[in-house]
Amino acid sequence: MAEENVPADELPLSGITVVSIEQAVAAPFATRQLADLGARVIKVERPGGGDFARRYDTTVHGQSSYFVWLNRSKESLTLDLKTGRGRAVLEELLARADVFVQNLAPGAAARMGLSADDLAERYPTLIPCAVTGYGSSGPWKDRKAYDLLVQCQTGLVSLTGSAREAARAGVSVADIAAGMYAYSGILTALFTRATRGTVRAVEVSLFEALAEWMGQPAYYTAYSGAQPPRVGTRHATIAPYGTYTAADGRDVLLSVQNEREWAALCERFLGDPGLTDDPRFATGPARVSNREEVDALLAGRIAASGSGEVTALLDAIGIANAPVNDVKQFLEHPVLAARDRWREVAVPGGATVEALLPPVDLAGTTPRMGAVPAAGEHTGRILAELGYTAGQIGELRADGAV
């Protein structure tokens, strides 16, 4: 892997400027990934507080865990976009930018003249990206959408949890999905502009991003007539695939994907080769239909041994498995340590945190792992780049425009 602190002009997206009016998770996740690869991301925030995600919690040296995760390597500019002078600064930035990202409230971009059509007239080379809740058209275009609401609307919550109780996914999957699709959409639009000279607007909704992730249960439900059941840590349509408690109290997950693995599990782990051809268990659908019996066989065997012994034997016979980690155990995972995935990132106030490198390794390139900005930290510098004098900057501050 290349050395850290790779010069900005050697990163893949160096020379690309992104202006983003963003808050919360989805849009900041998209732009942080652009910043990781060298794009200059200018984050426009409200004076007097900034992105409201800054105040979700104060667990990371006084900063929000969400904000630290999503906003490294960006520059923060505070602008009051309700003032004429604040809007004028934004227009100057957009005239110089390659990409504009926004996840404003429903209808706000259009009211501010920042819709894709409005921007195309003023800045024909600018790529606009809108991250919305339910899309910019249709019956729900003006409806607010937050991650858990979208998990409910797509049916994800109905699939998650135990038979007794539904549950939300433990991370913001709708936001993350939308951020990933916005990121890939922006990259595609940049490639299209570079190779064909054509500018394409990008739009991603949280609802449609998570709807894509619901593809398998959607097909299963549409063509079977019933949706997959909630089965906790089991898999709804594969067995055995789930967690079992070992003698030391630690849960171990194992997964059998095919008949070869089932035969190996029966012979070398359960010690009963005859189970391989037992009609109750001989095929995947048969094992799902007789899940309780399969689970009872495995639960008894695993409860008789410590988790280390169980995982070692499953490894030896080629059965995919893992102990169930909590978050602290994940942070100490040997794969992350051995593959050198942690880097120090500065946060406001002078402290540093350990941050994971992005998961995509691009040969010969180390992603930029720059500081998390304080609200408005770069306002003066950005205004000076636009040609504002110290006196003019002072006037803007006095007027509350920045």
Side-chain angles (χ1 to χ4, degrees):
M1 189 172 288
E3 294 296 319
E4 288 190 68
N5 302 317
V6 174
D9 60 1
E10 293 183 15
L11 290 168
L13 296 182
S14 63
I16 297 297
T17 297
V18 179
V19 174
S20 187
I21 305 176
E22 58 179 29
Q23 50 275 320
V25 176
F29 188 43
T31 59
R32 195 217 74 194
Q33 294 176 89
L34 298 170
D36 287 341
L37 293 181
R40 182 185 188 187
V41 176
I42 298 173
K43 181 182 180 78
V44 178
E45 300 190 70
R46 298 179 183 88
D51 182 344
F52 55 74
R54 288 181 179 275
R55 297 178 294 283
Y56 279 168
D57 61 70
T58 57
T59 57
V60 185
H61 301 297
Q63 307 298 316
S64 160
S65 55
Y66 278 89
F67 195 86
V68 169
W69 166 43
L70 296 165
N71 290 285
R72 64 171 179 252
S73 302
K74 300 180 185 180
E75 299 172 47
S76 174
L77 165 72
T78 49
L79 288 178
D80 185 348
L81 298 177
K82 295 180 180 179
T83 67
R85 300 184 78 178
R87 278 299 305 272
V89 172
L90 177 64
E91 296 296 329
E92 291 181 70
L93 288 171
L94 294 177
R96 302 181 180 204
D98 298 282
V99 179
F100 172 60
V101 180
Q102 58 86 9
N103 64 339
L104 292 163
R111 290 193 297 271
M112 297 170 67
L114 297 174
S115 70
D117 290 341
D118 294 329
L119 293 170
E121 292 181 6
R122 301 199 301 277
Y123 312 111
T125 64
L126 179 69
I127 296 168
C129 174
V131 180
T132 68
Y134 295 98
S136 60
S137 62
W140 283 29
K141 64 183 177 64
D142 295 323
R143 191 176 183 126
K144 288 186 176 180
Y146 301 119
D147 183 87
L148 183 52
L149 300 178
V150 174
Q151 288 192 39
C152 291
Q153 290 293 333
T154 57
L156 177 61
V157 168
S158 77
L159 299 174
T160 307
S162 66
R164 183 176 58 84
E165 183 180 20
R168 68 177 287 271
V171 295
S172 302
V173 289
D175 287 323
I176 293 168
M180 289 300 303
Y181 288 123
Y183 169 58
S184 61
I186 290 166
L187 293 179
T188 302
L190 285 168
F191 179 79
T192 302
R193 190 184 69 172
T195 57
R196 302 182 186 177
T198 304
V199 174
R200 302 291 189 194
V202 178
E203 180 181 332
V204 178
S205 79
L206 273 67
F207 178 75
E208 287 161 358
L210 196 55
E212 166 64 21
W213 287 19
M214 287 289 293
Q216 180 274 324
Y219 280 119
Y220 184 99
T221 301
Y223 291 95
S224 73
Q227 74 174 45
R230 288 195 309 272
V231 289
T233 57
R234 304 296 194 262
H235 193 290
T237 57
I238 302 174
Y241 194 150
T243 56
Y244 307 88
T245 303
D248 55 11
R250 190 165 188 189
D251 287 344
V252 175
L253 181 139
L254 67 82
S255 169
V256 169
Q257 296 285 312
N258 53 56
E259 308 320 322
R260 177 186 55 78
E261 292 181 355
W262 173 245
L265 187 75
C266 293
E267 180 177 352
R268 300 179 58 188
F269 186 75
L270 295 174
D272 188 350
L275 293 172
T276 301
D277 299 319
D278 187 313
R280 296 171 297 167
F281 314 129
T283 67
R287 291 192 294 275
V288 171
S289 296
N290 295 282
R291 182 192 304 276
E292 290 187 4
E293 294 172 76
V294 173
D295 285 345
L297 290 168
L298 284 164
R301 169 65 182 86
I302 292 173
S305 303
S307 58
E309 179 185 346
V310 169
T311 58
L313 180 53
L314 291 172
D315 284 343
I317 62 178
I319 302 297
N321 71 91
V324 178
N325 288 338
D326 60 23
V327 177
K328 186 175 185 297
Q329 290 164 329
F330 151 68
L331 292 172
E332 298 168 350
H333 203 288
V335 170
L336 298 176
R339 284 177 48 77
D340 193 26
R341 302 306 294 182
W342 296 102
R343 295 293 183 275
E344 281 196 350
V345 169
V347 298
T352 61
V353 298
E354 291 291 311
L356 281 170
L357 287 167
V360 175
D361 289 336
L362 191 62
T365 301
T366 297
R368 182 170 61 188
M369 303 290 285
V372 177
E377 178 179 344
H378 304 93
T379 298
R381 189 181 76 193
I382 293 169
L383 291 173
E385 288 180 19
L386 294 174
Y388 287 79
T389 66
Q392 290 171 322
I393 294 172
E395 290 175 7
L396 289 170
R397 292 190 189 281
D399 289 346
V402 301

